[in-house]
Amino acid sequence: MTDSAGVPIHDLETLVVGDLVLEIAPPSNRKTIEIIVERDASLVLKAPRASTIERAEKFVIAKRPWVYRKLAAKDALTGPPIVKQFVEGEGFAYLGRSYRLTLTPSEEPTGVRLERGRFRVNASDVADGAELMRGWYTEVGSQWLRRRLRPWARRLGEPEVTVEVRDLGYRWGSARPSDGSQYINVHWATLQLPPSLIDYILVHELAHLREANHTPEFWSIVARLMPSYQAHKTTLATTGKSIWLGSVV
Ligand SMILES: [Zn+2]
């Protein structure tokens, strides 16, 4: 944290503290730091103009129990965390199917591969296993999501939407409409879900390009794109709790 000493918090767009990802609100003349837990479980940090990253981090760490309570009340992705071990036979999901982990001998290639029905990680890489898996989901998932998004985006009348895969804390996705290119973000952990649920997340975020809040207008856009959305929404609320967010033993 020493390298962030003295750096203004408003130099950042988002602040990541452990597993919490906070969007930094534009500077205002407020005197105190505040965390807002939005209705969709996104987190916003409001801070005085002069706040530093260091001070904001300390504030978030102190407020963490309160944030978790708020998130739990919103039925966000906050069941007991799913913890994985990088040992032979551990299961990792991709697109709704579970694949066992095989540790490969050190002379074989490094990195993560999904081959012949198994995730393969080099035995010499297990210490970095979680990071490598996250990287794999992000890279392979980005390509898959790009293709998957296209028909939905076309249906919305926005053929040029870009999807970016990243760690979004306790949110499945996010979207920020703009006058220029349209972007939506999707959590890497989403790639563990079955495609039908990923479709719902894509549709949900696409609808946010038209309507930022969960208004009746928002849900009518979702329903127009995906008439069966309600069932997916319900399934996601329960399935979501079994998704691995990167915790390891
Ligand atoms: Zn939403």
Side-chain angles (χ1 to χ4, degrees):
M1 268 185 222
T2 43
D3 54 343
S4 62
V7 179
I9 185 67
H10 291 102
D11 282 7
L12 298 180
E13 231 174 83
T14 52
L15 175 71
V16 180
V17 179
D19 56 359
L20 300 178
V21 181
L22 301 100
E23 190 185 312
I24 311 298
S28 68
N29 291 327
R30 57 181 304 119
K31 298 271 190 291
T32 54
I33 305 185
E34 187 188 1
I35 298 171
I36 313 278
V37 181
E38 302 276 21
R39 277 174 62 180
D40 66 351
S42 60
L43 304 174
V44 177
L45 186 89
K46 295 186 172 182
R49 214 170 278 277
S51 289
T52 60
I53 293 175
E54 202 179 17
R55 202 179 135 214
E57 276 175 344
K58 277 194 188 132
F59 181 82
V60 174
I61 288 165
K63 287 284 260 185
R64 203 145 44 174
W66 176 85
V67 173
Y68 286 131
R69 275 200 306 278
K70 283 285 207 181
L71 286 170
K74 286 187 189 296
D75 208 26
L77 275 166
T78 52
I82 305 293
V83 177
K84 301 277 186 190
Q85 271 181 296
F86 279 83
V87 295
E88 188 73 28
E90 176 67 283
F92 288 92
Y94 178 55
L95 302 181
R97 289 199 191 151
S98 182
Y99 299 93
R100 298 260 168 232
L101 177 69
T102 287
L103 300 179
T104 58
S106 333
E107 59 272 17
E108 286 195 20
T110 53
V112 176
R113 286 159 295 143
L114 179 56
E115 277 172 17
R116 302 191 298 279
R118 283 192 166 246
F119 273 112
R120 290 163 199 274
V121 172
N122 199 292
S124 61
D125 284 336
V126 289
D128 305 319
E131 213 181 304
L132 289 171
M133 281 304 287
R134 265 201 297 265
W136 185 89
Y137 282 117
T138 303
E139 198 185 312
V140 174
S142 298
Q143 295 166 28
W144 189 86
L145 282 169
R146 241 173 264 147
R147 286 194 302 275
R148 194 78 182 183
L149 179 71
R150 245 174 260 149
W152 296 112
R154 239 179 266 135
R155 214 167 292 177
L156 182 74
E158 289 279 356
E160 298 299 322
V161 182
T162 304
V163 56
E164 285 183 356
V165 180
R166 50 181 61 178
D167 197 309
L168 297 172
Y170 288 110
R171 306 162 73 189
W172 292 115
S174 68
R176 209 179 289 173
S178 76
D179 294 334
S181 320
Q182 304 285 16
Y183 285 90
I184 64 172
N185 297 317
V186 172
H187 198 308
W188 62 265
T190 297
L191 275 303
Q192 296 165 68
L193 296 167
S196 59
L197 294 186
I198 301 176
D199 280 342
Y200 166 69
I201 291 163
L202 291 174
V203 164
H204 185 113
E205 298 311 331
L206 283 171
H208 274 314
L209 294 175
R210 291 275 190 271
E211 170 57 52
N213 300 306
H214 294 144
T215 57
E217 161 71 2
F218 170 83
W219 292 113
S220 80
I221 298 167
V222 173
R224 182 163 59 77
L225 295 173
M226 181 183 261
S228 62
Y229 84 90
Q230 192 67 53
H232 296 314
K233 188 176 172 230
T234 310
T235 313
L236 183 62
T238 45
T239 312
K241 301 212 187 294
S242 62
I243 290 302
W244 179 58
L245 295 176
S247 300
V248 284
V249 176

